[in-house]
Amino acid sequence: MMLKPAAAGPAVVACNTCRRSDGAGEGTSGQRDGALLVEALRALQAQDPAYQGVAVQEMPCLFACGDSCTIHLRAPDKVGYVLGRFTPDVEAARAILDYAVLYAESEAGQVPYRQWPEGVKGHFLTRTPPPGFVVE
């Protein structure tokens, strides 16, 4: 395993090797669903300036294979979240990026539930404290 530098600001890190746990692991193009989700995230981000403040990054395997397609939402000094069980399409990408914008604007990474886009509800798997902190 090698670490590769990435932007340190708010980011959606998507697993590019995910295969859905329903056995439908690849799209019709032969690409894995994780790679398709990355494409959907990047295409949507390129079309809408509202999403420019959140980087879309990718890496192989977030080790959440039973809950793919999986993303990790992170930012310096904020609680991070792992979300999964998405379909690799524009609707999922929009919900992820809509939530990511709210997350980036939040003080410590907590977005009030009433503001959550419908498309992320039920997709949260874990939350992770930033280095040097725990949640009260």
Side-chain angles (χ1 to χ4, degrees):
M1 171 179 69
M2 292 192 49
L3 296 177
K4 175 177 120 178
V12 172
V13 182
C15 173
N16 60 15
T17 57
C18 274
R19 294 181 190 191
R20 285 180 288 173
S21 54
D22 64 8
E26 295 181 358
T28 56
S29 67
Q31 289 179 288
R32 291 193 179 194
D33 288 326
L36 294 173
L37 182 58
V38 170
E39 283 183 7
L41 288 162
R42 288 198 170 133
L44 190 57
Q45 183 189 44
Q47 296 170 7
D48 192 335
Y51 301 136
Q52 297 307 308
V54 177
V56 174
Q57 302 167 347
E58 64 182 295
M59 65 178 268
C61 202
L62 290 174
F63 284 23
C65 301
D67 293 302
S68 62
C69 295
T70 305
I71 63 103
H72 177 213
L73 185 58
R74 66 181 183 178
D77 299 326
K78 294 185 186 215
V79 171
Y81 298 95
V82 176
L83 294 83
R85 300 183 299 271
F86 290 107
T87 54
D89 57 31
V90 70
E91 291 82 16
R94 185 175 311 283
I96 291 165
L97 289 172
D98 284 347
Y99 185 84
V101 167
L102 296 170
Y103 168 83
E105 293 170 350
S106 71
E107 185 175 332
Q110 186 170 357
V111 176
Y113 182 79
R114 68 184 174 281
Q115 294 179 0
W116 291 13
E118 197 61 40
V120 299
K121 292 178 180 175
H123 290 269
F124 285 79
L125 305 176
T126 66
R127 69 178 178 165
T128 56
F133 296 92
V134 293
V135 177
E136 290 187 294

